[in-house]
Amino acid sequence: MNELIFIVEEAPEGGFVARALGQSIFTEADTLTELPEKVRDAVRCHFEEGKGPKVVRLHHVREEVIAV
């Protein structure tokens, strides 16, 4: 595996959640600053050494509702 993509969204209760596409990996963080390290830790825990992705991408999704 060369690359793993995480979808990052704001959590309803505050903070951020990140979910991997195609893998059962999920993590959360209070701030965007600490999120990359939480994602690294989750990826390291999920894969055996040397079997994980070379690159992890964080795709930030922001939902906005507007009145028409």
Side-chain angles (χ1 to χ4, degrees):
M1 169 180 291
N2 291 328
E3 182 176 270
L4 184 59
I5 299 172
F6 278 79
I7 300 297
V8 177
E9 298 176 299
E10 290 183 42
E13 64 279 354
F16 299 88
V17 295
R19 302 174 201 275
L21 297 178
Q23 298 289 331
S24 297
I25 308 174
F26 169 87
T27 192
E28 54 191 2
D30 292 330
T31 66
L32 284 175
T33 303
E34 68 181 29
L35 186 64
E37 189 57 37
K38 298 275 190 159
V39 169
R40 281 187 199 97
D41 288 342
V43 170
R44 287 184 195 124
C45 288
H46 188 78
F47 293 99
E48 293 180 23
E49 192 170 330
K51 304 274 183 172
K54 305 254 186 284
V55 174
V56 174
R57 293 186 189 273
L58 302 180
H59 179 76
H60 295 263
V61 177
R62 181 173 162 224
E63 185 174 323
E64 187 172 345
V65 178
I66 60 172
V68 183

